[in-house]
Amino acid sequence: MSTETTASYGPDNPAPVIEPPRARTGRTPSATRGNFEMYGWLFMRLSGILLVVLVLGHLLIQLVLDGGVSKISFAFVAGRWASPFWQAWDLIMLWLAMLHGGNGLRTIINDYAERDNTRFWLKMLLYTATVFTVLLGTLVIFTFDPNIR
């Protein structure tokens, strides 16, 4: 037999109140103004669908129809990026992937960073990295020189 006693709950001995998950506390960030979160939620769904099409199309064309990884080289990329179609494809994929991932991480930071100061600096780091990557990737796509030696 166990030495633990089982408590029988009743009017004189109520069960302990357990706080529901994700309940607002004093440390939870206040709701944002307007419908920003709704638009962020909608963006995640739409960009996710478009990213699936872009990435699977990219993989199918680059790896299956064009001969696989062994064919990918500097000359291959130079040939692809000579076409505005492939520049636009890669640019849309870069922008959507970075904004989709950045929005997802922003949501995670809002959910799990408890202190306002921590939340602020994590989001500033995230925004800086996202903007830097998007700008650098865009610059590379538009200024790529196939004649570099």
Side-chain angles (χ1 to χ4, degrees), residues 11-78:
D12 295 331
N13 187 19
V17 176
I18 298 174
E19 190 175 329
R22 297 191 183 267
R24 287 212 168 277
T25 65
R27 298 171 134 189
T28 307
S30 60
T32 56
R33 293 173 295 181
N35 291 326
F36 180 75
E37 291 300 326
M38 183 193 68
Y39 293 133
W41 180 87
L42 188 60
F43 170 76
M44 291 298 278
R45 273 60 189 171
L46 297 175
S47 67
I49 292 168
L50 190 54
L51 275 169
V52 166
V53 171
L54 288 171
V55 169
L56 290 180
H58 176 81
L59 290 173
L60 176 70
I61 292 166
Q62 302 290 339
L63 300 178
V64 176
L65 301 178
D66 279 340
V69 177
S70 61
K71 299 261 181 164
I72 297 175
S73 64
F74 183 85
F76 179 83
V77 174

Side-chain angles (χ1 to χ4, degrees), residues 89-128:
W89 185 293
D90 287 347
L91 185 70
I92 292 168
M93 218 170 27
L94 167 75
W95 275 69
L96 279 178
M98 287 306 300
L99 294 175
H100 183 93
N103 191 36
L105 281 174
R106 180 191 62 80
T107 302
I108 290 170
I109 290 169
N110 282 340
D111 284 349
Y112 292 104
E114 294 182 1
R115 293 179 25 216
D116 289 338
N117 200 25
T118 303
R119 189 178 310 108
F120 172 80
W121 287 111
L122 284 174
K123 286 204 280 190
M124 286 304 108
L125 182 63
L126 171 65
Y127 297 154
T128 302

